[in-house]
Amino acid sequence: MQNAAVIFLSVLLSAAFHPALSLVDGYLPNGDFERGPKASDMNGTVVKGPYAIPEWEISGFVEYIKSGQKQGDMLLVVPEGAFAVRLGNEASIKQKVKVVKGLYYSITFSAARTCAQEERLNISVAPDWGVLPMQTLYNSNGWDLYAWAFQATSDEVAILIHNPGEEEDPACGPLIDAIAIKTLYPPKASNDNLVKNGDFEVGPYVFPNASSGVLVPPNIEDDHSPIPGWMVESLKAVKYIDSDHFSVPSGKRAVELVAGKESAIAQIVRTIPGKTYILSFVVGDASNSCEGSMVVEAFAGKNTLKVPYQSKGNGGSKPAALKFQAESTRTRIMFLSTFYTMRSDDFSSLCGPVLDKVRLLSVRNPKA
């Protein structure tokens, strides 16, 4: 018995002092690119050596861009701080990071489109990868925050961001800045809620000084969701928002459905055929000048409910509930916004209703 206790304690200590556990949620080393190449490693804005940018390995046509810099008449927007990198045709940046094998992680980064109209990014941590289209700008400031998730298959992984574009101008490519990582601990369903992560409190890293929210791409481009438990089943992203910058109905996090019916979030839950359930949730607005008539459509299997919400754009919420009888052992619940909406103070920024506090409970006495 004593030997077993010693072995158990040894395992605990080895886990506690595992070097991979030194990973802290937040910026990757030089994730804001404020530490740049030496003058000898630059040819104008082009970075010459593969290891010229501290903490990063680069490949292809990579530029080191300073805030305020122009390309012709176009101002190159640096999302964070004074510097960013631009990835030209087939260019990439890579960094190796210590992680814990088997755990899930989310990457958050800023990206700004420049001169190419069909820009997209390939982000990968082997064997996971995803292509993030950047044709849609969700903010009028020229850049958006994106999240992407992966499961670590070893104690060290290489995070790679690659521009697969083939533009006539090799310099035409997205600006990349502010790259951070966060460990995700997938929540479980409970007797109090059959929906996992129904309050959206577990999600990607949100920068303390970023007031735009974080875009979560569709599941067709992301095998592991940055919002554990949830899939984005649509052509467009949903936005993950925080209470420091937005009005959130409950807790510190919520989801904004920013692209009408092209922005949907879903989860498959365990149910018992023939049993009655109540799917409850809260809809509202993020207090971001998103005004007008909104409708959130809720689905539970073949059952639907449309919840109207009249937004004044200054925060507010209302509860709703959908009662249904399960037809199988797995029921898909899904939420989407009926309409596209633009902010009243900025007609170039997409917005929409906020979804929060999603709960699913069985009804003991459905006739009561």
Side-chain angles (χ1 to χ4, degrees):
M1 187 73 178
Q2 233 176 4
N3 289 339
V6 170
I7 293 171
F8 178 68
L9 182 60
S10 299
V11 170
L12 282 179
L13 288 173
S14 64
F17 292 101
H18 193 292
L21 296 183
S22 60
L23 179 69
V24 177
D25 293 346
Y27 280 101
L28 291 179
N30 199 27
D32 56 5
F33 300 101
E34 294 302 293
R35 287 184 287 145
K38 298 176 183 177
S40 58
D41 289 324
M42 298 280 291
N43 181 8
T45 60
V46 181
V47 184
K48 293 194 296 183
Y51 303 101
I53 300 176
E55 308 290 348
W56 293 94
E57 179 182 347
I58 69 171
S59 175
F61 192 94
V62 177
E63 293 180 279
Y64 191 63
I65 303 297
K66 186 176 181 179
S67 179
Q69 190 171 318
K70 287 187 175 183
Q71 180 178 349
D73 294 329
M74 180 179 64
L75 179 67
L76 298 178
V77 179
V78 172
E80 173 94 9
F83 296 95
V85 296
R86 180 159 67 166
L87 304 181
N89 287 344
E90 294 295 344
S92 64
I93 53 173
K94 182 172 71 173
Q95 184 174 137
K96 292 183 179 180
V97 179
K98 293 286 186 181
V99 290
V100 178
K101 183 179 179 180
L103 289 189
Y104 292 89
Y105 295 87
S106 177
I107 303 295
T108 301
F109 64 95
S110 299
R113 198 174 72 188
T114 57
C115 42
Q117 294 301 309
E118 299 296 324
E119 285 180 9
R120 62 193 191 276
L121 282 171
N122 188 339
I123 181 167
S124 63
V125 174
D128 297 325
W129 62 276
V131 177
L132 279 60
M134 297 178 61
Q135 291 94 331
T136 302
L137 282 177
Y138 293 80
N139 281 311
S140 61
N141 56 16
W143 58 271
D144 287 301
L145 283 168
Y146 293 86
W148 181 81
F150 67 93
Q151 185 179 23
T153 56
S154 63
D155 291 334
E156 184 179 70
V157 298
I159 298 170
L160 179 74
I161 300 178
H162 169 241
N163 173 22
E166 296 180 358
E167 299 294 326
E168 289 184 12
D169 183 350
C172 267
L175 283 165
I176 307 297
D177 199 6
I179 306 175
I181 192 169
K182 182 183 177 184
T183 308
L184 298 176
Y185 298 98
K188 297 180 179 180
S190 67
N191 292 332
D192 295 327
N193 192 0
L194 299 176
V195 172
K196 299 175 183 178
N197 199 18
D199 54 7
F200 302 106
E201 295 299 296
V202 182
Y205 184 80
V206 178
F207 293 101
N209 59 344
S211 58
S212 62
V214 180
L215 296 174
V216 179
N219 68 326
I220 55 171
E221 295 140 6
D222 194 357
D223 290 337
H224 307 298
S225 173
I227 308 177
W230 293 95
M231 302 173 287
V232 182
E233 292 197 328
S234 50
L235 296 174
K236 304 292 185 185
V238 301
K239 183 173 286 189
Y240 190 67
I241 61 174
D242 67 307
S243 59
D244 290 339
H245 302 98
F246 299 89
S247 177
V248 171
S250 177
K252 295 183 177 181
R253 303 286 190 266
V255 164
E256 185 181 12
L257 304 173
V258 292
K261 290 188 176 181
E262 291 186 296
S263 187
I265 191 165
Q267 185 172 145
I268 297 175
V269 295
R270 293 177 181 270
T271 50
I272 299 174
K275 200 170 184 62
T276 301
Y277 295 85
I278 292 181
L279 175 66
S280 63
F281 53 97
V282 175
V283 300
D285 69 274
S287 188
N288 58 350
S289 299
C290 195
E291 300 177 8
S293 297
M294 302 179 184
V295 176
V296 171
E297 298 183 38
F299 300 83
K302 297 178 181 178
N303 304 276
T304 63
L305 175 69
K306 292 187 177 182
V307 182
Y309 177 76
Q310 190 65 34
S311 172
K312 296 181 180 179
N314 55 8
S317 63
K318 63 181 285 187
L322 171 60
K323 190 176 182 179
F324 69 96
Q325 189 176 69
E327 296 183 357
S328 67
T329 57
R330 298 284 189 277
T331 300
R332 182 184 301 273
I333 62 171
M334 184 173 69
F335 301 89
L336 57 81
S337 172
T338 303
F339 309 118
Y340 266 95
T341 312
M342 297 287 188
R343 281 170 43 182
S344 61
D345 63 344
D346 180 358
F347 293 111
S348 299
S349 292
L350 289 167
C351 64
V354 170
L355 174 69
D356 201 2
K357 209 173 180 180
V358 181
R359 297 186 69 194
L360 181 66
L361 293 172
S362 61
V363 180
R364 291 185 179 180
N365 186 6
K367 295 181 180 180

